[in-house]
Amino acid sequence: MFQEDGSSSVTSSPLQMFPMMSLSPGTMSPYPWLKELKPEERGLYLIHLLVNCANHVASGSLENANIALDQISHLASPQGDTMQRIASYFSEALADRVLRAWPGVYKAFHSTRIPVVAEEILVKKMFFEFLPFMKVAFVISNQAIVESMEGEKMVHVIDLNATEPAQWCALIRDLSARPEGPPHLRITGVHQRKEVLEQMAHILTEEAENLDLPFQFNPVVSKLENLDIEKLRVKTGEALAISSIMQLHTLLGSENDQRKKSPSTPMSNGIGVHLQRVAHMNQSTLRELLEKDTVNGYSPSTDSASSSPLSSIHSPNIDSFLNALWGLSPKVMVVTEQDSDHNAKNLMERLSESLYFYAALFDCLESALPRASLERLKMEKMILGDEIKNIIACEGAERRERHEKLERWSQRLELAGFANVPLSYYAMLQAKRLLQSYNSDGYRIKEENGCVVICWQDRPLYAVSAWRFRR
Protein backbone atom coordinates (compact mmCIF):
# COMPACT_ATOMS: atom_id res chain seq x y z
CA MET A 1 0.00 0.00 0.00
CA PHE A 2 1.10 3.56 -0.61
CA GLN A 3 1.49 5.77 2.41
CA GLU A 4 0.76 9.48 2.56
CA ASP A 5 4.45 10.25 2.06
CA GLY A 6 4.40 8.40 -1.27
CA SER A 7 6.26 5.28 -0.09
CA SER A 8 4.99 1.74 -0.51
CA SER A 9 4.14 -0.76 2.19
CA VAL A 10 4.76 -3.72 -0.12
CA THR A 11 7.63 -5.40 1.69
CA SER A 12 10.73 -7.22 0.51
CA SER A 13 10.46 -6.27 -3.13
CA PRO A 14 11.76 -3.65 -5.58
CA LEU A 15 8.20 -2.26 -5.76
CA GLN A 16 8.64 -0.92 -2.24
CA MET A 17 10.63 2.07 -3.42
CA PHE A 18 9.42 2.69 -6.96
CA PRO A 19 7.60 6.00 -6.30
CA MET A 20 10.85 7.39 -4.88
CA MET A 21 13.17 6.11 -7.61
CA SER A 22 14.65 8.40 -10.21
CA LEU A 23 12.99 7.95 -13.57
CA SER A 24 16.07 9.18 -15.42
CA PRO A 25 17.23 6.49 -17.84
CA GLY A 26 20.85 5.43 -17.85
CA THR A 27 22.92 4.75 -20.92
CA MET A 28 23.83 1.10 -20.39
CA SER A 29 21.14 -0.64 -18.34
CA PRO A 30 18.41 1.93 -17.66
CA TYR A 31 16.12 0.03 -15.29
CA PRO A 32 17.76 -3.27 -14.20
CA TRP A 33 15.54 -3.49 -11.11
CA LEU A 34 12.41 -3.77 -13.29
CA LYS A 35 13.38 -7.36 -14.11
CA GLU A 36 13.09 -8.24 -10.43
CA LEU A 37 9.40 -7.34 -10.18
CA LYS A 38 6.98 -10.19 -9.59
CA PRO A 39 3.95 -10.39 -11.97
CA GLU A 40 1.59 -8.80 -9.40
CA GLU A 41 4.05 -6.00 -8.69
CA ARG A 42 4.61 -5.43 -12.40
CA GLY A 43 0.88 -4.92 -12.93
CA LEU A 44 0.66 -2.48 -10.05
CA TYR A 45 3.64 -0.51 -11.27
CA LEU A 46 2.26 -0.35 -14.82
CA ILE A 47 -0.93 1.27 -13.51
CA HIS A 48 1.22 3.69 -11.51
CA LEU A 49 3.27 4.54 -14.63
CA LEU A 50 0.19 4.99 -16.86
CA VAL A 51 -1.38 7.39 -14.38
CA ASN A 52 1.84 9.39 -14.03
CA CYS A 53 2.44 9.41 -17.77
CA ALA A 54 -1.09 10.63 -18.51
CA ASN A 55 -0.68 13.36 -15.90
CA HIS A 56 2.56 14.50 -17.57
CA VAL A 57 0.92 14.45 -21.03
CA ALA A 58 -2.08 16.40 -19.75
CA SER A 59 0.11 19.03 -18.10
CA GLY A 60 2.51 19.32 -21.05
CA SER A 61 5.50 17.87 -19.21
CA LEU A 62 6.67 15.90 -22.23
CA GLU A 63 10.17 15.05 -20.96
CA ASN A 64 8.70 13.28 -17.94
CA ALA A 65 6.05 11.67 -20.15
CA ASN A 66 8.81 10.33 -22.37
CA ILE A 67 10.64 8.83 -19.39
CA ALA A 68 7.45 7.15 -18.15
CA LEU A 69 6.74 5.76 -21.64
CA ASP A 70 10.28 4.40 -21.76
CA GLN A 71 9.77 2.56 -18.49
CA ILE A 72 6.41 1.20 -19.63
CA SER A 73 8.07 -0.19 -22.75
CA HIS A 74 10.32 -2.35 -20.55
CA LEU A 75 7.32 -3.87 -18.75
CA ALA A 76 4.41 -3.90 -21.20
CA SER A 77 3.86 -6.38 -24.00
CA PRO A 78 0.98 -7.09 -26.42
CA GLN A 79 1.72 -10.79 -25.84
CA GLY A 80 1.82 -10.59 -22.03
CA ASP A 81 -0.79 -10.84 -19.28
CA THR A 82 -3.88 -8.63 -19.18
CA MET A 83 -2.17 -5.67 -17.53
CA GLN A 84 0.87 -5.85 -19.81
CA ARG A 85 -1.36 -5.88 -22.88
CA ILE A 86 -3.52 -3.03 -21.65
CA ALA A 87 -0.46 -0.95 -20.82
CA SER A 88 0.88 -1.50 -24.35
CA TYR A 89 -2.19 0.04 -25.97
CA PHE A 90 -2.71 2.84 -23.46
CA SER A 91 0.94 3.88 -23.70
CA GLU A 92 0.68 3.83 -27.49
CA ALA A 93 -2.39 6.05 -27.25
CA LEU A 94 -0.62 8.51 -24.93
CA ALA A 95 2.38 8.64 -27.29
CA ASP A 96 0.00 9.24 -30.21
CA ARG A 97 -1.54 12.14 -28.30
CA VAL A 98 1.91 13.67 -27.78
CA LEU A 99 2.75 13.33 -31.48
CA ARG A 100 -0.43 15.13 -32.50
CA ALA A 101 0.99 18.29 -30.92
CA TRP A 102 3.35 18.37 -33.93
CA PRO A 103 1.01 17.95 -36.94
CA GLY A 104 3.88 17.83 -39.44
CA VAL A 105 5.68 15.05 -37.59
CA TYR A 106 2.41 13.19 -37.02
CA LYS A 107 1.34 13.35 -40.69
CA ALA A 108 4.79 12.33 -41.93
CA PHE A 109 4.86 9.40 -39.52
CA HIS A 110 1.52 8.12 -40.83
CA SER A 111 1.84 9.17 -44.48
CA THR A 112 2.71 5.73 -45.87
CA ARG A 113 0.31 3.67 -43.79
CA ILE A 114 -1.91 1.49 -45.97
CA PRO A 115 -5.34 0.52 -44.61
CA VAL A 116 -6.12 -3.14 -45.27
CA VAL A 117 -9.89 -3.13 -45.63
CA ALA A 118 -10.27 -6.88 -46.13
CA GLU A 119 -8.32 -7.64 -42.95
CA GLU A 120 -10.32 -5.09 -40.95
CA ILE A 121 -13.55 -6.80 -42.02
CA LEU A 122 -12.10 -10.22 -41.16
CA VAL A 123 -10.99 -9.10 -37.68
CA LYS A 124 -14.45 -7.66 -36.94
CA LYS A 125 -15.96 -11.01 -37.92
CA MET A 126 -13.57 -12.72 -35.50
CA PHE A 127 -14.70 -10.37 -32.72
CA PHE A 128 -18.29 -11.28 -33.59
CA GLU A 129 -17.53 -15.01 -33.42
CA PHE A 130 -15.29 -15.26 -30.35
CA LEU A 131 -17.18 -12.88 -28.05
CA PRO A 132 -20.95 -12.99 -27.48
CA PHE A 133 -21.75 -9.29 -27.26
CA MET A 134 -22.85 -8.61 -30.83
CA LYS A 135 -24.75 -11.89 -31.07
CA VAL A 136 -26.66 -11.03 -27.92
CA ALA A 137 -27.44 -7.58 -29.36
CA PHE A 138 -28.65 -9.20 -32.59
CA VAL A 139 -30.89 -11.70 -30.79
CA ILE A 140 -32.48 -9.02 -28.60
CA SER A 141 -32.88 -6.58 -31.50
CA ASN A 142 -34.51 -9.18 -33.74
CA GLN A 143 -36.90 -10.29 -31.02
CA ALA A 144 -37.98 -6.69 -30.40
CA ILE A 145 -38.51 -6.19 -34.15
CA VAL A 146 -40.50 -9.43 -34.56
CA GLU A 147 -42.74 -8.58 -31.60
CA SER A 148 -43.39 -5.02 -32.81
CA MET A 149 -44.14 -6.19 -36.39
CA GLU A 150 -46.76 -8.78 -35.49
CA GLY A 151 -49.52 -8.69 -38.10
CA GLU A 152 -47.74 -6.18 -40.35
CA LYS A 153 -47.74 -6.92 -44.09
CA MET A 154 -45.02 -4.44 -45.17
CA VAL A 155 -41.93 -4.29 -42.97
CA HIS A 156 -39.00 -1.94 -43.56
CA VAL A 157 -35.81 -2.32 -41.47
CA ILE A 158 -33.07 0.34 -41.52
CA ASP A 159 -29.60 -0.85 -40.44
CA LEU A 160 -27.41 2.15 -39.60
CA ASN A 161 -24.24 0.04 -39.76
CA ALA A 162 -24.81 -2.72 -42.30
CA THR A 163 -21.73 -4.89 -41.83
CA GLU A 164 -22.97 -8.25 -40.56
CA PRO A 165 -25.62 -10.14 -42.58
CA ALA A 166 -26.04 -12.82 -39.87
CA GLN A 167 -28.50 -10.63 -37.95
CA TRP A 168 -30.81 -10.16 -40.90
CA CYS A 169 -30.55 -13.77 -42.09
CA ALA A 170 -31.90 -14.73 -38.66
CA LEU A 171 -34.68 -12.12 -38.94
CA ILE A 172 -35.66 -13.43 -42.39
CA ARG A 173 -35.97 -16.93 -40.91
CA ASP A 174 -38.05 -15.63 -37.99
CA LEU A 175 -40.41 -13.66 -40.22
CA SER A 176 -40.81 -16.50 -42.71
CA ALA A 177 -42.03 -18.74 -39.87
CA ARG A 178 -44.79 -16.37 -38.69
CA PRO A 179 -48.15 -18.13 -38.21
CA GLU A 180 -49.88 -15.42 -40.26
CA GLY A 181 -47.33 -15.79 -43.05
CA PRO A 182 -44.26 -13.72 -43.96
CA PRO A 183 -44.49 -9.99 -44.66
CA HIS A 184 -42.89 -8.19 -47.56
CA LEU A 185 -39.51 -7.24 -46.10
CA ARG A 186 -37.31 -4.37 -47.20
CA ILE A 187 -33.93 -3.76 -45.56
CA THR A 188 -32.04 -0.51 -46.04
CA GLY A 189 -28.35 -0.85 -45.22
CA VAL A 190 -26.18 2.19 -44.50
CA HIS A 191 -22.40 1.85 -44.85
CA GLN A 192 -19.58 3.94 -46.28
CA ARG A 193 -18.18 1.06 -48.36
CA LYS A 194 -20.12 -0.04 -51.42
CA GLU A 195 -18.54 -3.51 -51.54
CA VAL A 196 -19.75 -4.29 -48.00
CA LEU A 197 -23.33 -3.45 -48.98
CA GLU A 198 -23.07 -5.46 -52.19
CA GLN A 199 -21.97 -8.54 -50.27
CA MET A 200 -24.78 -8.11 -47.75
CA ALA A 201 -27.37 -7.68 -50.54
CA HIS A 202 -26.22 -10.93 -52.17
CA ILE A 203 -26.35 -12.98 -48.95
CA LEU A 204 -29.74 -11.64 -47.81
CA THR A 205 -31.38 -11.95 -51.21
CA GLU A 206 -30.28 -15.57 -51.45
CA GLU A 207 -31.59 -16.32 -47.94
CA ALA A 208 -34.97 -14.71 -48.70
CA GLU A 209 -35.30 -16.61 -51.99
CA ASN A 210 -34.58 -19.92 -50.25
CA LEU A 211 -37.39 -19.23 -47.77
CA ASP A 212 -39.77 -17.74 -50.37
CA LEU A 213 -40.00 -14.41 -48.52
CA PRO A 214 -40.66 -11.27 -50.62
CA PHE A 215 -37.54 -9.15 -50.16
CA GLN A 216 -35.78 -5.99 -51.33
CA PHE A 217 -32.44 -4.53 -50.29
CA ASN A 218 -31.81 -0.80 -50.50
CA PRO A 219 -28.09 0.11 -50.22
CA VAL A 220 -27.14 3.61 -49.03
CA VAL A 221 -23.43 4.37 -49.38
CA SER A 222 -22.76 7.07 -46.80
CA LYS A 223 -21.03 7.90 -43.56
CA LEU A 224 -23.53 8.24 -40.75
CA GLU A 225 -22.76 11.91 -40.14
CA ASN A 226 -23.44 12.69 -43.83
CA LEU A 227 -26.56 10.55 -44.16
CA ASP A 228 -29.36 12.02 -46.28
CA ILE A 229 -32.54 10.80 -44.57
CA GLU A 230 -34.42 10.98 -47.88
CA LYS A 231 -32.22 8.17 -49.26
CA LEU A 232 -33.68 5.79 -46.69
CA ARG A 233 -36.84 5.85 -48.84
CA VAL A 234 -39.36 5.29 -46.08
CA LYS A 235 -42.78 4.79 -47.68
CA THR A 236 -46.29 5.39 -46.43
CA GLY A 237 -48.00 2.21 -45.27
CA GLU A 238 -44.92 0.25 -44.24
CA ALA A 239 -44.03 -0.52 -40.63
CA LEU A 240 -40.57 0.82 -39.86
CA ALA A 241 -37.85 -0.61 -37.59
CA ILE A 242 -34.43 0.98 -37.05
CA SER A 243 -31.34 -0.82 -35.76
CA SER A 244 -28.31 1.09 -34.48
CA ILE A 245 -25.45 -1.00 -33.13
CA MET A 246 -22.65 1.12 -31.64
CA GLN A 247 -23.16 4.01 -34.06
CA LEU A 248 -24.94 6.87 -32.31
CA HIS A 249 -21.98 7.74 -30.06
CA THR A 250 -19.95 8.72 -33.13
CA LEU A 251 -22.28 11.70 -33.59
CA LEU A 252 -21.64 13.23 -30.16
CA GLY A 253 -18.57 15.20 -31.27
CA SER A 254 -18.53 18.37 -33.33
CA GLU A 255 -16.07 20.61 -35.14
CA ASN A 256 -16.41 23.15 -32.33
CA ASP A 257 -15.33 20.68 -29.65
CA GLN A 258 -11.63 21.37 -30.05
CA ARG A 259 -8.81 20.75 -27.59
CA LYS A 260 -8.43 24.44 -26.77
CA LYS A 261 -12.04 24.48 -25.53
CA SER A 262 -11.69 21.32 -23.47
CA PRO A 263 -8.22 21.44 -21.95
CA SER A 264 -6.67 18.33 -20.50
CA THR A 265 -5.77 18.95 -16.90
CA PRO A 266 -3.75 16.87 -14.47
CA MET A 267 -5.55 14.21 -12.54
CA SER A 268 -7.94 15.51 -9.92
CA ASN A 269 -7.54 14.24 -6.40
CA GLY A 270 -10.66 12.09 -6.64
CA ILE A 271 -9.63 10.22 -9.77
CA GLY A 272 -6.09 9.89 -8.50
CA VAL A 273 -7.30 8.28 -5.29
CA HIS A 274 -9.28 5.50 -6.93
CA LEU A 275 -6.76 4.65 -9.61
CA GLN A 276 -3.98 4.67 -7.03
CA ARG A 277 -6.10 2.45 -4.79
CA VAL A 278 -6.42 -0.01 -7.64
CA ALA A 279 -2.66 0.12 -8.15
CA HIS A 280 -2.00 -0.91 -4.56
CA MET A 281 -4.05 -4.09 -4.56
CA ASN A 282 -1.86 -7.16 -4.56
CA GLN A 283 -3.81 -9.21 -7.16
CA SER A 284 -2.54 -11.19 -10.13
CA THR A 285 -4.94 -9.91 -12.81
CA LEU A 286 -6.61 -6.60 -13.47
CA ARG A 287 -9.99 -8.33 -13.43
CA GLU A 288 -9.31 -9.30 -9.81
CA LEU A 289 -8.22 -5.74 -9.11
CA LEU A 290 -11.52 -4.52 -10.50
CA GLU A 291 -13.50 -7.02 -8.46
CA LYS A 292 -11.78 -5.98 -5.25
CA ASP A 293 -12.16 -2.32 -6.14
CA THR A 294 -15.91 -2.86 -6.47
CA VAL A 295 -15.93 -4.43 -3.00
CA ASN A 296 -14.16 -1.34 -1.70
CA GLY A 297 -17.02 0.73 -2.99
CA TYR A 298 -15.66 2.42 -6.08
CA SER A 299 -17.22 2.23 -9.51
CA PRO A 300 -15.88 4.91 -11.83
CA SER A 301 -19.17 5.20 -13.71
CA THR A 302 -21.56 5.59 -10.81
CA ASP A 303 -22.12 9.31 -11.10
CA SER A 304 -21.26 9.92 -14.72
CA ALA A 305 -24.83 10.26 -15.91
CA SER A 306 -26.94 11.13 -12.91
CA SER A 307 -24.79 13.97 -11.62
CA SER A 308 -24.43 15.70 -14.98
CA PRO A 309 -26.75 18.64 -15.69
CA LEU A 310 -29.43 17.94 -18.27
CA SER A 311 -28.11 20.72 -20.47
CA SER A 312 -24.87 18.80 -21.00
CA ILE A 313 -26.79 16.05 -22.79
CA HIS A 314 -27.52 18.33 -25.75
CA SER A 315 -25.22 17.96 -28.76
CA PRO A 316 -26.26 19.53 -32.09
CA ASN A 317 -25.26 16.58 -34.27
CA ILE A 318 -26.97 13.83 -32.30
CA ASP A 319 -30.01 16.00 -31.50
CA SER A 320 -30.54 16.70 -35.18
CA PHE A 321 -30.05 13.05 -36.14
CA LEU A 322 -32.42 11.70 -33.49
CA ASN A 323 -35.04 14.28 -34.47
CA ALA A 324 -34.74 13.13 -38.09
CA LEU A 325 -35.21 9.49 -37.06
CA TRP A 326 -38.20 10.45 -34.91
CA GLY A 327 -39.69 12.13 -37.99
CA LEU A 328 -39.74 8.72 -39.73
CA SER A 329 -42.24 7.45 -37.08
CA PRO A 330 -40.59 4.06 -36.38
CA LYS A 331 -42.64 1.39 -34.65
CA VAL A 332 -39.43 0.31 -32.95
CA MET A 333 -35.82 1.49 -32.82
CA VAL A 334 -33.28 -0.77 -31.11
CA VAL A 335 -30.09 0.88 -29.87
CA THR A 336 -26.94 -0.90 -28.73
CA GLU A 337 -24.13 1.16 -27.22
CA GLN A 338 -21.05 0.66 -25.05
CA ASP A 339 -22.23 1.20 -21.48
CA SER A 340 -19.41 3.32 -20.10
CA ASP A 341 -18.58 7.01 -19.86
CA HIS A 342 -15.63 7.73 -22.18
CA ASN A 343 -16.82 11.16 -23.29
CA ALA A 344 -15.48 13.41 -20.53
CA LYS A 345 -13.60 16.54 -21.61
CA ASN A 346 -10.87 15.79 -19.09
CA LEU A 347 -8.23 13.30 -20.28
CA MET A 348 -7.74 11.78 -16.84
CA GLU A 349 -11.44 11.00 -16.43
CA ARG A 350 -11.42 9.24 -19.79
CA LEU A 351 -8.30 7.30 -18.78
CA SER A 352 -9.93 6.19 -15.53
CA GLU A 353 -13.15 5.00 -17.16
CA SER A 354 -11.60 3.36 -20.20
CA LEU A 355 -8.96 1.52 -18.16
CA TYR A 356 -11.69 -0.33 -16.28
CA PHE A 357 -13.83 -0.92 -19.38
CA TYR A 358 -11.10 -2.29 -21.62
CA ALA A 359 -9.58 -4.35 -18.80
CA ALA A 360 -12.84 -6.31 -18.77
CA LEU A 361 -12.79 -6.77 -22.56
CA PHE A 362 -9.16 -7.92 -22.52
CA ASP A 363 -10.10 -10.41 -19.82
CA CYS A 364 -12.96 -11.65 -22.02
CA LEU A 365 -10.54 -12.34 -24.86
CA GLU A 366 -8.08 -13.99 -22.50
CA SER A 367 -10.84 -16.36 -21.38
CA ALA A 368 -11.78 -17.16 -24.99
CA LEU A 369 -8.38 -17.60 -26.64
CA PRO A 370 -4.87 -18.71 -25.61
CA ARG A 371 -2.31 -15.99 -24.96
CA ALA A 372 -0.31 -16.95 -28.03
CA SER A 373 -3.34 -16.65 -30.30
CA LEU A 374 -2.77 -14.48 -33.38
CA GLU A 375 -6.53 -13.91 -33.62
CA ARG A 376 -6.60 -12.47 -30.09
CA LEU A 377 -3.64 -10.21 -30.87
CA LYS A 378 -5.32 -8.87 -34.01
CA MET A 379 -8.62 -8.18 -32.25
CA GLU A 380 -6.90 -6.38 -29.39
CA LYS A 381 -4.76 -4.34 -31.78
CA MET A 382 -7.21 -3.50 -34.56
CA ILE A 383 -10.44 -3.15 -32.59
CA LEU A 384 -9.81 -2.48 -28.89
CA GLY A 385 -6.44 -0.78 -29.41
CA ASP A 386 -7.85 1.56 -32.06
CA GLU A 387 -10.78 2.47 -29.78
CA ILE A 388 -8.41 3.18 -26.87
CA LYS A 389 -6.26 5.36 -29.12
CA ASN A 390 -9.26 7.37 -30.27
CA ILE A 391 -10.53 7.89 -26.72
CA ILE A 392 -7.15 8.92 -25.29
CA ALA A 393 -5.31 10.58 -28.20
CA CYS A 394 -8.03 12.46 -30.07
CA GLU A 395 -10.09 15.59 -29.43
CA GLY A 396 -12.75 17.49 -31.33
CA ALA A 397 -14.38 15.92 -34.38
CA GLU A 398 -11.57 13.33 -34.58
CA ARG A 399 -12.70 11.75 -31.30
CA ARG A 400 -15.53 9.47 -32.42
CA GLU A 401 -15.46 6.83 -29.67
CA ARG A 402 -17.57 8.93 -27.31
CA HIS A 403 -19.22 6.12 -25.36
CA GLU A 404 -21.75 7.08 -22.72
CA LYS A 405 -23.94 5.33 -20.15
CA LEU A 406 -27.41 3.95 -20.81
CA GLU A 407 -28.98 6.57 -18.54
CA ARG A 408 -27.72 9.42 -20.69
CA TRP A 409 -28.87 7.74 -23.91
CA SER A 410 -32.29 7.22 -22.37
CA GLN A 411 -32.49 10.92 -21.53
CA ARG A 412 -31.45 11.90 -25.06
CA LEU A 413 -33.95 9.59 -26.73
CA GLU A 414 -36.80 10.72 -24.48
CA LEU A 415 -36.00 14.37 -25.20
CA ALA A 416 -36.09 13.57 -28.93
CA GLY A 417 -39.65 12.24 -28.58
CA PHE A 418 -39.07 8.50 -28.22
CA ALA A 419 -40.74 6.28 -25.61
CA ASN A 420 -39.03 3.26 -24.10
CA VAL A 421 -40.29 -0.19 -25.11
CA PRO A 422 -39.47 -2.68 -22.34
CA LEU A 423 -37.69 -5.73 -23.71
CA SER A 424 -39.66 -8.92 -23.30
CA TYR A 425 -38.96 -11.83 -21.00
CA TYR A 426 -38.43 -14.03 -24.06
CA ALA A 427 -35.74 -11.66 -25.39
CA MET A 428 -33.97 -11.83 -22.01
CA LEU A 429 -34.27 -15.63 -21.98
CA GLN A 430 -32.74 -15.93 -25.46
CA ALA A 431 -29.86 -13.67 -24.45
CA LYS A 432 -29.14 -15.71 -21.31
CA ARG A 433 -29.19 -18.99 -23.23
CA LEU A 434 -26.77 -17.58 -25.78
CA LEU A 435 -24.35 -16.47 -23.06
CA GLN A 436 -24.54 -19.90 -21.42
CA SER A 437 -23.41 -21.49 -24.69
CA TYR A 438 -20.03 -19.75 -24.31
CA ASN A 439 -19.12 -21.92 -21.32
CA SER A 440 -17.79 -19.02 -19.28
CA ASP A 441 -19.14 -17.95 -15.91
CA GLY A 442 -17.82 -14.42 -16.45
CA TYR A 443 -20.68 -13.19 -18.64
CA ARG A 444 -23.77 -11.68 -17.03
CA ILE A 445 -27.10 -10.28 -18.22
CA LYS A 446 -29.01 -7.79 -16.12
CA GLU A 447 -32.25 -5.91 -16.64
CA GLU A 448 -32.23 -2.15 -16.12
CA ASN A 449 -35.48 -0.21 -16.55
CA GLY A 450 -36.70 -2.49 -19.32
CA CYS A 451 -33.31 -2.54 -21.06
CA VAL A 452 -30.60 -5.22 -21.14
CA VAL A 453 -27.04 -4.64 -19.92
CA ILE A 454 -24.39 -7.21 -20.89
CA CYS A 455 -21.61 -7.50 -18.32
CA TRP A 456 -18.30 -9.22 -17.71
CA GLN A 457 -18.36 -10.14 -14.02
CA ASP A 458 -19.97 -7.01 -12.52
CA ARG A 459 -18.62 -4.58 -15.12
CA PRO A 460 -21.31 -3.27 -17.55
CA LEU A 461 -20.01 -3.37 -21.12
CA TYR A 462 -22.90 -3.02 -23.59
CA ALA A 463 -26.51 -1.90 -23.24
CA VAL A 464 -29.43 -2.75 -25.54
CA SER A 465 -32.63 -0.69 -25.41
CA ALA A 466 -35.78 -0.45 -27.56
CA TRP A 467 -37.73 2.71 -28.38
CA ARG A 468 -40.78 3.76 -30.35
CA PHE A 469 -42.10 6.91 -31.95
CA ARG A 470 -44.16 9.01 -29.52
CA ARG A 471 -46.26 11.96 -30.65
Side-chain angles (χ1 to χ4, degrees):
M1 295 286 195
F2 284 83
Q3 310 301 321
E4 291 184 359
D5 62 0
S7 63
S8 169
S9 65
V10 179
T11 59
S12 303
S13 85
L15 187 64
Q16 181 177 4
M17 297 179 61
F18 73 69
M20 306 299 292
M21 289 183 178
S22 170
L23 293 180
S24 300
T27 55
M28 297 296 293
S29 180
Y31 317 109
W33 57 275
L34 290 179
K35 296 179 181 179
E36 302 174 26
L37 294 178
K38 297 176 182 177
E40 312 87 50
E41 298 167 344
R42 180 181 60 217
L44 308 182
Y45 192 30
L46 278 169
I47 295 175
H48 173 83
L49 284 171
L50 284 172
V51 171
N52 278 349
C53 181
N55 261 317
H56 292 315
V57 171
S59 63
S61 179
L62 300 187
E63 183 177 352
N64 285 328
N66 177 64
I67 293 169
L69 286 170
D70 187 43
Q71 277 204 321
I72 292 171
S73 72
H74 287 268
L75 293 174
S77 168
Q79 286 89 23
D81 61 30
T82 301
M83 192 60 234
Q84 286 179 299
R85 303 194 326 266
I86 287 215
S88 294
Y89 294 109
F90 273 88
S91 62
E92 183 181 12
L94 288 166
D96 194 80
R97 186 180 179 94
V98 170
L99 273 183
R100 286 170 184 266
W102 290 276
V105 173
Y106 183 82
K107 291 173 185 175
F109 190 71
H110 293 85
S111 62
T112 58
R113 185 163 297 178
I114 302 173
V116 184
V117 176
E119 188 171 23
E120 289 175 2
I121 294 172
L122 179 62
V123 171
K124 287 179 180 178
K125 285 186 179 296
M126 287 193 295
F127 191 83
F128 172 78
E129 289 298 331
F130 285 111
L131 297 182
F133 304 114
M134 295 307 98
K135 290 182 181 178
V136 170
F138 290 173
V139 163
I140 294 172
S141 298
N142 283 5
Q143 185 61 32
I145 291 171
V146 168
E147 291 172 2
S148 67
M149 297 300 166
E150 187 174 346
E152 295 288 352
K153 302 297 184 183
M154 302 283 291
V155 174
H156 184 186
V157 177
I158 296 172
D159 183 354
L160 295 179
N161 183 34
T163 58
E164 182 50 68
Q167 177 181 9
W168 306 126
C169 285
L171 180 68
I172 288 171
R173 291 192 290 270
D174 290 342
L175 292 176
S176 69
R178 290 196 319 182
E180 67 269 35
H184 183 283
L185 175 64
R186 188 154 64 96
I187 293 180
T188 294
V190 180
H191 198 276
Q192 60 184 324
R193 291 175 179 148
K194 182 180 179 182
E195 63 272 21
V196 172
L197 294 174
E198 288 174 345
Q199 183 184 31
M200 176 170 280
H202 173 74
I203 294 171
L204 298 184
T205 300
E206 190 175 74
E207 184 73 22
E209 287 176 353
N210 290 338
L211 294 170
D212 199 25
L213 182 141
F215 177 74
Q216 288 178 295
F217 186 80
N218 173 35
V220 178
V221 181
S222 174
K223 292 183 177 181
L224 198 63
E225 60 265 32
N226 301 325
L227 179 62
D228 180 357
I229 295 295
E230 295 296 322
K231 290 185 178 180
L232 300 177
R233 293 166 48 195
V234 176
K235 300 176 182 177
T236 303
E238 62 185 12
L240 178 65
I242 300 173
S243 172
S244 174
I245 294 185
M246 297 187 297
Q247 290 301 296
L248 295 184
H249 68 261
T250 65
L251 301 176
L252 291 176
S254 70
E255 293 291 344
N256 295 325
D257 181 22
Q258 296 300 326
R259 186 176 303 196
K260 62 183 180 181
K261 292 190 177 182
S262 55
S264 298
T265 56
M267 178 179 290
S268 65
N269 289 336
I271 299 169
V273 165
H274 21 267
L275 272 184
Q276 286 183 0
R277 186 167 67 239
V278 174
H280 307 153
M281 296 170 189
N282 191 18
Q283 304 290 335
S284 59
T285 70
L286 191 53
R287 177 175 61 79
E288 291 169 335
L289 294 178
L290 294 173
E291 287 173 350
K292 186 163 184 180
D293 200 45
T294 302
V295 170
N296 285 341
Y298 170 63
S299 175
S301 302
T302 51
D303 61 353
S304 59
S306 57
S307 66
S308 301
L310 199 60
S311 60
S312 69
I313 292 173
H314 290 291
S315 175
N317 291 347
I318 191 64
D319 291 349
S320 174
F321 189 75
L322 290 178
N323 288 336
L325 296 183
W326 177 87
L328 299 176
S329 306
K331 284 199 75 174
V332 66
M333 180 167 74
V334 191
V335 176
T336 302
E337 284 289 336
Q338 291 92 336
D339 191 35
S340 193
D341 188 7
H342 302 152
N343 195 25
K345 291 184 178 181
N346 182 281
L347 170 63
M348 299 311 303
E349 292 177 26
R350 300 206 301 269
L351 178 79
S352 171
E353 282 287 335
S354 56
L355 188 60
Y356 281 81
F357 180 84
Y358 286 100
L361 283 175
F362 275 67
D363 266 350
C364 291
L365 282 171
E366 177 123 327
S367 74
L369 291 163
R371 191 167 292 178
S373 165
L374 183 61
E375 290 92 343
R376 180 196 56 73
L377 179 64
K378 286 184 176 181
M379 285 185 279
E380 291 179 349
K381 170 66 177 174
M382 299 176 67
I383 297 178
L384 305 185
D386 282 357
E387 288 181 11
I388 290 168
K389 186 177 292 185
N390 191 263
I391 291 166
I392 299 299
C394 298
E395 296 292 352
E398 288 183 322
R399 180 155 60 86
R400 294 174 57 81
E401 301 297 338
R402 294 173 174 268
H403 313 146
E404 293 194 340
K405 297 289 290 180
L406 173 61
E407 182 179 350
R408 288 178 70 84
W409 282 113
S410 298
Q411 292 171 338
R412 279 198 179 89
L413 288 157
E414 288 169 358
L415 286 171
F418 291 93
N420 181 247
V421 179
L423 296 168
S424 67
Y425 170 79
Y426 187 60
M428 293 277 289
L429 186 62
Q430 285 183 296
K432 288 179 179 178
R433 285 175 177 170
L434 179 56
L435 286 185
Q436 288 170 355
S437 71
Y438 276 77
N439 296 319
S440 172
D441 59 1
Y443 294 113
R444 307 274 192 275
I445 283 278
K446 68 176 183 179
E447 186 271 340
E448 188 173 310
N449 299 322
C451 308
V452 167
V453 179
I454 314 165
C455 308
W456 175 255
Q457 306 297 347
D458 294 322
R459 170 60 45 180
L461 294 177
Y462 299 93
V464 187
S465 57
W467 305 84
R468 62 172 175 81
F469 169 81
R470 183 188 69 217
R471 294 193 180 278

